Amino acid sequence: MSTKAIKSALISVFHKDGLAPIVKKLNQLGVTIYSTGGTEKFINDLGINVVPVEEVTDYPSILGGRVKTLHPKVFGGILNRQDHAGDVAQMEEFNIPQLDLVIVDLYPFEKTVASGALEQDIIEKIDIGGISLIRAAAKNFKDTVLISSMEQYGDFLNLINKSNGTTTLADRKLLAVKAFNVSSHYDTAIFNYFNTNQNIPALKISETNGKVLRYGENPHQKGFFFGDFDTMFDKLHGKELSYNNLLDVDAAVNLMDEFKGEDPTFAILKHNNACGFAQHKNLHQAYVDALAGDPTSAFGGVLIANQKIDKATATEIHKLFCEVVIAPAYDEDALEVLKGKKNRVLLIQKEVTFADTTVRTCLNGVLVQSRNTITDTKDGLENKTNTQATAAQIADLLFASKICKHTKSNTIVLVKDKQLCASGTGQTSRVDALNQAIAKAKHFGFDLEGSVMASDAFFPFPDCVEIADNAGVKAVIQPGGSIKDQLSIDYCNAHNMAMVFTGTRHFKH
């Protein structure tokens, strides 16, 4: 029979918030309740009769509470097959009580790790009995109902109120699926804690927060986001973010993280690349300068600032159709302006720590690498030419290098006075990237005389520095490392150009 009435329940939980209404409802239905330890006391304090598990097992909780429910009379009551004659006979032979419902949750292992607790305290939060009860009850979903997390309390209470304490096979199977989601996530967290140094080359990722998107990269593709968006942002206004929006937001926050704590900085991104970027003494001018970099591509873009957006800046932004605006804060009158477009997404970015690794699918598997955490600095620069870069040029070179690091390879970035003049993005040759950048800068009216150039990788030939020189570039930053580095250095020396090496390549594919 697929529909079953709950007549008995084992309740043993760490989190008791929201549990009382369930216990009271079960008592109202005449359900026999078994429990242990703190949960048993909690139920007793509600004035509800509860049978201690020790009365069933004839065995006390031992080893400081490490062993409480691990007993054949408990697991027999959960795992027995009610339509199996042999199981039914053994239940009677060994006086094992039937357990129709199991409510259990797990010790807060992840929270304990996140708190910076000592290893011994973390180890004590590795649940044994709870995880065993979950697996047993989920395996026997045909006969057993399982609540495996406090997040399920509300839905379960609604279920038993509506059905008067009965469940269908479909109900029980769905709860089993949820339970295996809980248990697999828990085991993944434990493994990753012990495998911090990646001594075992295994990849285990578990994200229990999932959201269905309108579609994927294109309308004919399905799309999902797995992650806790709300820990990174407060969404103040606008439509639901799309798959492509999320990719651009990710690119934007990673890029702007390079400029945290610096002068007012504004970026405009399109298809994961900065099409406008500028830094100024005030945010309004930084936005105006960023927009000037490519007002065409800015249409429909994602905008991000490293400082609070004021009304003057918001008024300029409002003239542009843009999908998303991100900032650490907004003045109230700025919000009023920006909310003038009902679909425009407004986000406040919170203080966050980025993941240590990046993951992407590849062939029939995945590629994993450590995050590119190296940012080029003045102290790490090596002068390679007779002409030395001035202080102003070094500031521009480092500014350009940061943008270059977050632009699709092959890329060349042209900067002047901390304003992105143009970039060549995602080109198959460095020469093509440079020519693209120069053509774009000229199209939008930039004078490249006195500008600087950043490259994400070395120059195998001197052709790029020659083209840049002819366009007006006076200083170059690149990682170096080509066996023909000297050819580019010689050209720079012959034409009074400054060149510095960083020693760090910044490919981004």
Side-chain angles (χ1 to χ4, degrees), residues 4-6 25 28-29 31 157-167:
K4 290 181 176 288
I6 299 170
K25 181 62 180 180
Q28 180 188 332
L29 293 168
V31 174
L157 180 61
N158 291 337
L159 173 63
I160 58 176
N161 277 328
K162 183 178 179 180
S163 67
N164 202 32
T166 63
T167 62

Side-chain angles (χ1 to χ4, degrees), residues 257-278:
D257 190 58
E258 303 279 355
F259 299 86
K260 186 185 296 184
E262 296 190 13
D263 285 342
T265 307
F266 216 105
I268 304 172
L269 286 88
K270 194 75 171 285
H271 296 294
N272 305 283
N273 295 304
C275 60
F277 202 101

Side-chain angles (χ1 to χ4, degrees), residues 325-449:
V325 182
I326 310 166
Y330 301 82
D331 284 335
E332 284 300 319
D333 51 1
L335 276 178
E336 186 177 344
V337 171
L338 293 172
K339 286 181 178 179
K341 298 287 178 68
K342 67 177 183 178
N343 287 330
R344 179 187 286 146
V345 178
L346 304 178
L347 301 175
I348 289 179
Q349 183 182 346
K350 303 176 185 178
E351 287 291 330
V352 295
T353 301
F354 293 98
D356 294 330
T357 56
T358 64
V359 182
R360 65 192 299 181
T361 58
C362 180
L363 301 176
N364 62 347
V366 295
L367 285 171
V368 181
Q369 65 174 349
S370 59
R371 186 168 172 263
N372 184 0
T373 57
I374 294 178
T375 298
D376 297 326
T377 64
K378 181 179 178 181
D379 292 341
L381 301 181
E382 182 182 359
N383 290 306
K384 303 300 291 187
T385 52
N386 297 330
T387 299
Q388 304 290 295
T390 66
Q393 286 175 331
I394 288 174
D396 270 358
L397 288 168
L398 293 173
F399 184 85
S401 176
K402 291 177 183 180
I403 300 172
C404 193
K405 173 183 171 182
H406 293 273
T407 305
K408 289 286 186 181
S409 299
N410 288 311
T411 183
I412 292 290
V413 170
L414 302 177
V415 163
K416 186 176 180 180
D417 298 328
K418 292 193 175 179
Q419 180 183 21
L420 174 64
C421 300
S423 59
T425 63
Q427 298 301 301
T428 52
S429 83
R430 207 153 300 283
V431 171
D432 286 345
L434 175 56
N435 284 329
Q436 181 191 50
I438 292 170
K440 190 173 181 181
K442 289 181 177 179
H443 176 74
F444 290 113
F446 283 97
D447 177 8
L448 292 177
E449 187 64 34

